[in-house]
Amino acid sequence: MPKKISVTAEFEVFETKEELDPADKLLLDSAVKIMENAYAPYSGFLVGAAVLLENGQIVTGNNQENAAYPSGLCAERVAVFHASSQFPGVKPVAIAVSAKSSSQVLDRPVTPCGACRQSVSEYEVRFSSPIRIIMAGEKGPVYISKSVSDLLPLTFTSKHL
Ligand code: THU
């Protein structure tokens, strides 16, 4: 019989945004605000992301779609790439993400897609420090992960190269 390993992850669950601590609420509010600038004419799914840097700076992004669908980019990657391009040596400590849809009221948190988890993970590894992920919908609960590695177990990293 092969040996088994098991992977577990814990997430904090807040019943509403109002229960967040003020710094997390501020970051989430930044994500919600920038969500309104999303360019999502094809999906009608607007996403905003806000990255908190160690120096207190907040850098935001939103999803940018394209008529050639795969050429678009998710909000989380726009935000982390924006942050790294503007403040290359400054450690990101948290990212908040929120979304709304033209087809339903989003009553559960939006969780980053696999490619965004991989992209955020790059900066955890780069700075050897966890990045908290704050995930919200339009209403309903907010989930917080203490590290992107909890969202992406057995991550491929530069250590494999
Ligand atoms: N999207 C994001 O920006 N972030 C996510 O976490 C999930 C999906 C975008 C990509 C696309 O523009 C639209 O939402 C629908 O998938």
Side-chain angles (χ1 to χ4, degrees):
M1 282 290 277
K3 187 170 92 169
K4 287 185 181 167
I5 54 172
S6 73
V7 181
T8 58
E10 285 191 339
F11 301 91
E12 289 181 317
V13 178
F14 293 83
E15 291 306 316
T16 69
K17 294 176 194 179
E18 314 313 316
E19 287 178 18
L20 294 173
D21 82 42
D24 287 346
K25 175 76 166 50
L26 181 74
L27 193 63
L28 184 55
D29 287 345
S30 302
V32 170
K33 187 169 179 214
I34 204 69
M35 177 178 77
E36 298 299 336
N37 291 356
Y39 177 63
Y42 305 105
S43 71
F45 193 77
L46 279 69
V47 187
V51 178
L52 175 65
L53 301 178
E54 194 181 24
N55 64 8
Q57 183 97 27
I58 292 176
V59 183
T60 56
N62 45 45
N63 53 329
Q64 297 294 317
E65 297 186 347
N66 193 283
Y69 292 177
S71 299
L73 200 62
C74 293
E76 296 91 323
R77 273 176 287 167
V78 171
V80 291
F81 294 161
H82 183 197
S84 185
S85 66
Q86 299 302 302
F87 305 97
V90 186
K91 176 166 64 178
V93 295
I95 177 167
V97 54
S98 189
K100 72 175 185 185
S101 167
S102 58
S103 63
Q104 59 167 323
V105 175
L106 221 64
D107 59 3
R108 72 188 76 172
V110 63
T111 53
C113 79
C116 288
R117 296 174 195 206
Q118 182 71 33
S119 294
V120 174
S121 167
E122 182 73 19
Y123 300 100
E124 280 202 351
V125 174
R126 177 177 178 189
F127 292 97
S128 304
S129 186
I131 299 173
R132 296 171 66 248
I133 318 285
I134 301 161
M135 296 159 276
E138 251 182 286
K139 59 177 201 174
V142 178
Y143 294 168
I144 300 186
S145 165
K146 63 184 184 312
S147 162
V148 73
S149 63
D150 284 335
L151 289 170
L152 191 63
L154 307 182
T155 311
F156 179 80
T157 75
S158 56
K159 290 173 186 148
H160 289 99
L161 296 174

